[in-house]
């Protein structure tokens, strides 16, 4: 599936928003200058989309997300009204100043009409619903389900990243299952931005583990799959004080990276899901289990490492061949560590590209 850059994504949103304004002008005013409606729509709608996507007012967004559902809905509606009103006033005053509109008074230029508010609210709500469903399913999964790409099983290559929370059982025994679940929710929320940044998809949560994947070409490009796990670890370390204050400890992770051929298929009747089958995903799971045995935080298979230009912040240590349960042959295993955590970089395994 072709990559869509953040710029292209925002341009598409702006195009849809502008088109809704043109449609409003044509339907209700038969305006010969539909670009006026497009300008109003962009000024009213884009601040709401930006707010929903946490471009600004992130603290406010986090606080209202903690509210009960009905109160959350009212709070969102109130914020939408404010943002649309400010956007309408800014557009109206600007167009009036440029002589593109001639309102009977300044009030008509800055006060949002009720019918326009309802229309804008409906358009924004629809767009936000689509964006949230896409975020819930993952961009690739959402698009694939729309076009029924995996209705029939497809063979493809993917990279998998398995991440597991260390000592989660001990934490649950000490603090209770409810507190442990709250910690897991906070932890998985911390994964979202690095995964989004590096164009991955969170495919599933299994207990205290998360499964993240990329199409292989996308995952190895710019070492995205490697950068993703170290950005996750870095984000947790940077927020260590808050973790200690909230949960009394900083989460420690074990992670494994492997890639190869798998079968992807859409399954289910009432509840549809895109899932993966094959040795690659099983091997990644077994590799993650080796982290504990080898006392390493991040492991990558030698097969995958050979296809990646490792970033300068990461050092690779060849751990040799290891037997993997359920696999007929041994697997070359490499440990990855942040460069500033090592005094000197060990010799790389033959075939693994040196850091740039």
């Amino acid at each position: 599936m072709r990559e869509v850059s953040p710029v292209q994504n925002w341009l598409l949103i702006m195009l849809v928003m502008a088109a809704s304004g043109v449609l409003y002008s044509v339907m209700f005013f038969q305006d010969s200058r539909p670009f006026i409606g497009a300008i109003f729509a962009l000024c009213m709608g884009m601040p709401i989309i930006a707010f929903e996507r946490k471009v600004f007012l992130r603290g406010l967004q986090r606080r209202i997300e903690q509210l009960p559902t009905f109160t959350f809905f009212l709070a969102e509606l109130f914020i939408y009204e404010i943002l649309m009103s400010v956007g309408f006033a800014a557009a109206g005053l600007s167009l009036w100043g440029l002589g593109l509109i001639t309102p009977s008074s300044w009030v008509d230029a800055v006060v949002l009409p009720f019918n326009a508010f309802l229309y804008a609210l409906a358009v924004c709500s629809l767009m936000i619903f689509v964006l949230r469903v896409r975020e819930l399913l993952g961009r690739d999964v959402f698009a694939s389900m729309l076009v029924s790409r995996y209705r029939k099983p497809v063979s493809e290559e993917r990279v998998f990243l398995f991440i597991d929370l260390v000592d989660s059982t001990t934490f649950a025994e000490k603090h209770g299952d409810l507190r442990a679940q709250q910690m897991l929710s906070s932890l998985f929320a911390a994964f979202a931005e690095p995964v989004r940044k590096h164009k991955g998809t969170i495919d599933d949560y299994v207990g205290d583990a998360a499964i993240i994947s990329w199409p292989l070409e996308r995952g190895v490009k710019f070492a995205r799959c490697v950068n993703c796990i170290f950005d996750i670890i870095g984000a947790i370390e940077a927020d260590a004080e808050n973790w200690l204050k909230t949960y009394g400890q900083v989460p420690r992770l074990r992670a494994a990276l492997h890639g190869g051929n798998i079968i992807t298929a859409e399954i289910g009747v009432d509840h549809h899901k895109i899932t993966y089958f094959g040795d690659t995903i099983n091997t990644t799971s077994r590799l993650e289990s080796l982290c504990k045995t080898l006392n390493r935080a991040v492991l990558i298979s030698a097969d995958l490492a050979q296809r990646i230009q490792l970033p300068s912040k990461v050092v690779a240590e060849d751990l040799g061949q290891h037997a993997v349960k359920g696999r007929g042959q041994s697997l070359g295993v490499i440990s990855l560590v942040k460069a500033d955590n090592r005094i000197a970089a060990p010799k790389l395994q033959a075939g693994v590209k040196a850091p740039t």
Side-chain angles (χ1 to χ4, degrees), residues 1 14 18 22 65 72 97-98 136 141 172 174 199 208 222 246 256 277 313 315 347:
M1 187 174 295
M14 292 175 66
V22 171
E65 284 176 348
F72 168 80
L98 293 172
L136 178 66
V141 173
K174 183 178 179 180
K199 300 183 182 296
D208 58 0
F222 307 128
T246 306
F277 304 91
K313 68 180 180 181
V315 172
K347 184 178 180 181

Side-chain angles (χ1 to χ4, degrees), residues 106-148:
W106 69 269
V107 174
D108 292 331
V110 300
V111 177
L112 176 63
F114 185 68
N115 61 337
F117 167 74
L118 291 179
Y119 179 82
L121 184 63
V123 171
C124 288
S125 297
L126 177 61
M127 289 190 66
I128 289 165
F129 173 76
V130 171
L131 290 172
R132 287 203 168 183
V133 170
R134 192 184 76 160
E135 289 176 2
L136 178 66
L137 297 176
R139 183 180 67 87
D140 289 345
V141 173
F142 178 73
S144 296
M145 282 190 167
L146 281 181
V147 300
S148 299

Side-chain angles (χ1 to χ4, degrees), residues 15-324:
L15 180 63
V16 173
M17 191 66 67
S20 71
V22 171
L23 180 63
Y24 181 82
S25 295
V26 172
M27 288 179 60
F28 295 99
F29 295 101
Q30 291 78 46
D31 199 324
S32 59
R33 300 173 302 167
F35 72 91
I36 299 293
I39 293 173
F40 272 107
L42 287 171
C43 290
M44 293 167 61
M46 290 309 296
I48 295 177
I49 300 296
F51 172 74
E52 286 291 332
R53 305 199 77 178
K54 298 180 174 62
V55 174
F56 65 98
L57 298 177
R58 293 186 180 186
L60 176 61
Q61 181 82 301
R62 283 195 296 268
R63 284 193 289 273
I64 66 174
E65 284 176 348
Q66 305 302 317
L67 297 173
T69 301
F70 183 70
T71 310
F72 168 80
F73 174 78
L74 293 178
E76 287 266 284
L77 188 62
F78 179 70
I79 293 169
Y80 284 9
E81 167 66 18
I82 293 175
L83 292 176
M84 282 193 288
S85 295
V86 171
F88 182 89
L93 289 174
S94 298
L95 292 172
W96 188 17
L98 293 172
L100 295 175
I101 60 173
T102 54
S104 56
S105 69
W106 69 269
V107 174
D108 292 331
V110 300
V111 177
L112 176 63
F114 185 68
N115 61 337
F117 167 74
L118 291 179
Y119 179 82
L121 184 63
V123 171
C124 288
S125 297
L126 177 61
M127 289 190 66
I128 289 165
F129 173 76
V130 171
L131 290 172
R132 287 203 168 183
V133 170
R134 192 184 76 160
E135 289 176 2
L136 178 66
L137 297 176
R139 183 180 67 87
D140 289 345
V141 173
F142 178 73
S144 296
M145 282 190 167
L146 281 181
V147 300
S148 299
R149 181 185 179 194
Y150 298 119
R151 188 60 59 86
K152 293 182 178 180
V154 174
S155 177
E156 60 182 2
E157 289 190 307
R158 293 190 77 86
V159 175
F160 289 95
L161 168 61
F162 278 46
I163 307 177
D164 185 34
L165 175 63
V166 178
D167 294 332
S168 59
T169 302
T170 302
F171 183 89
E173 290 174 348
K174 183 178 179 180
H175 300 282
D177 290 338
L178 178 59
R179 192 62 174 158
Q181 183 57 49
Q182 291 171 340
M183 183 180 182
L184 279 174
S185 295
S186 298
L187 180 64
F188 292 151
F191 292 1
E193 184 55 35
V195 172
R196 187 182 302 117
K197 174 183 175 183
H198 295 292
K199 300 183 182 296
T201 300
I202 300 178
D203 290 310
D204 207 354
Y205 301 106
V206 183
D208 58 0
I211 301 174
I212 301 164
S213 76
W214 295 257
L216 192 139
E217 183 178 350
R218 185 194 303 169
V220 301
K221 187 177 182 181
F222 307 128
R224 282 174 174 146
C225 58
V226 173
N227 283 314
C228 181
I229 179 57
F230 283 100
D231 280 2
I232 288 172
I233 294 172
I236 292 172
E237 291 175 349
D239 200 29
E241 184 178 345
N242 185 54
W243 286 104
L244 285 170
K245 180 181 178 181
T246 306
Y247 298 105
Q249 68 181 58
V250 180
R252 292 187 300 116
L253 305 176
R254 286 193 292 258
L257 283 157
H258 181 54
N261 190 265
I262 48 92
I263 300 299
T264 308
E266 182 179 335
I267 61 172
V269 178
D270 294 327
H271 173 66
H272 288 257
K273 179 182 179 181
I274 292 177
T275 191
Y276 308 104
F277 304 91
D279 177 67
T280 296
I281 194 165
N282 295 329
T283 299
T284 312
S285 177
R286 304 292 187 267
L287 185 60
E288 189 274 321
S289 298
L290 272 179
C291 289
K292 185 175 182 179
T293 304
L294 300 176
N295 193 28
R296 296 294 192 276
V298 181
L299 296 179
I300 184 172
S301 67
D303 293 341
L304 179 60
Q306 289 172 356
R307 306 178 73 162
I308 298 176
Q309 183 76 33
L310 292 178
S312 58
K313 68 180 180 181
V314 175
V315 172
E317 178 186 0
D318 184 2
L319 301 180
Q321 297 287 319
H322 289 267
V324 177

